[in-house]
Amino acid sequence: MKRGGRIFHGIGFLILEYFIAAAAARVHQKAESIIPIPTNSPPEGNTTFIDGSTWCVALPGASQVDLQNALDWVCGLGAADCSSLQPGGPCHQPDTLLSHASYAFNSYYQENGNSDVACNFGGTATITKRNPSYASCMYLSSQRSSAYSLQHRSQMLKILAIFLLLYLATL
């Protein structure tokens, strides 16, 4: 009985250390992502500022070749959701490289931690606080991702508390 308690004790502390380290990394990562970089949001996006939200968009001055390479990567190996860019999709029009790259870059950015690293694409992208959504093309925002992250963290802390209580009951 004691042996099982020791094993559970060690596993419990490993799990606790993992979640504490992961939470600390996310807090540090999010702090870096809120530094605004002024840019024009393609295509003629909504200029409404939503406090705390950030988006990743393509730089208007980036070379077409670099943008195309980055778009190919993000929709391929980067595994971003680019389905809205397909013909007939809500973000297909305007059918421009800058517009498609902006949507794809933002999709990747929102799904990969809202950090500066997740919005680089070889220097062809930047973070903005200006909502690039337009017509029926709605860009994901960091505000939604942050809310999910907080909810997820809260659930994980509850699970850790249960494990801790179970451990203490075995003492």
Side-chain angles (χ1 to χ4, degrees):
M1 188 81 169
K2 280 236 180 212
R3 281 184 125 178
R6 286 186 185 148
I7 290 171
F8 182 76
H9 176 268
I11 292 172
F13 279 110
L14 285 176
I15 292 171
L16 183 60
E17 287 177 15
Y18 169 78
F19 285 110
I20 289 171
R26 279 190 222 120
V27 169
H28 176 70
Q29 187 178 37
K30 187 63 181 169
E32 294 173 354
S33 70
I34 61 173
I35 300 170
I37 299 173
T39 183
N40 295 325
S41 298
E44 296 307 316
N46 179 353
T47 59
T48 306
F49 174 76
I50 300 174
D51 190 34
S53 294
T54 56
W55 295 267
C56 177
V57 295
L59 282 170
S63 84
Q64 297 288 301
V65 171
D66 291 341
L67 277 175
Q68 186 64 58
N69 288 335
L71 180 61
D72 291 344
W73 180 87
V74 78
C75 291
L77 293 175
D81 181 9
C82 297
S83 59
S84 294
L85 299 174
Q86 299 303 315
C91 300
H92 180 70
Q93 293 298 330
D95 187 7
T96 65
L97 182 56
L98 192 65
S99 177
H100 288 193
S102 289
Y103 183 85
F105 291 175
N106 187 67
S107 178
Y108 181 87
Y109 169 73
Q110 300 302 338
E111 296 299 324
N112 290 279
N114 312 103
S115 71
D116 293 341
V117 174
C119 182
N120 186 306
F121 305 102
T124 62
T126 189
I127 295 170
T128 184
K129 287 188 173 184
R130 182 174 288 181
N131 187 348
S133 299
Y134 59 95
S136 63
C137 183
M138 303 307 292
Y139 282 53
L140 294 174
S141 74
S142 60
Q143 193 171 45
R144 235 183 283 163
S145 296
S146 296
Y148 170 78
S149 178
L150 288 174
Q151 180 183 17
H152 186 260
R153 226 176 296 165
S154 174
Q155 289 172 347
M156 295 310 292
L157 288 174
K158 287 176 186 175
I159 291 169
L160 284 174
I162 291 169
F163 276 127
L164 183 59
L165 289 173
L166 288 172
Y167 168 72
L168 292 173
T170 62
L171 292 179

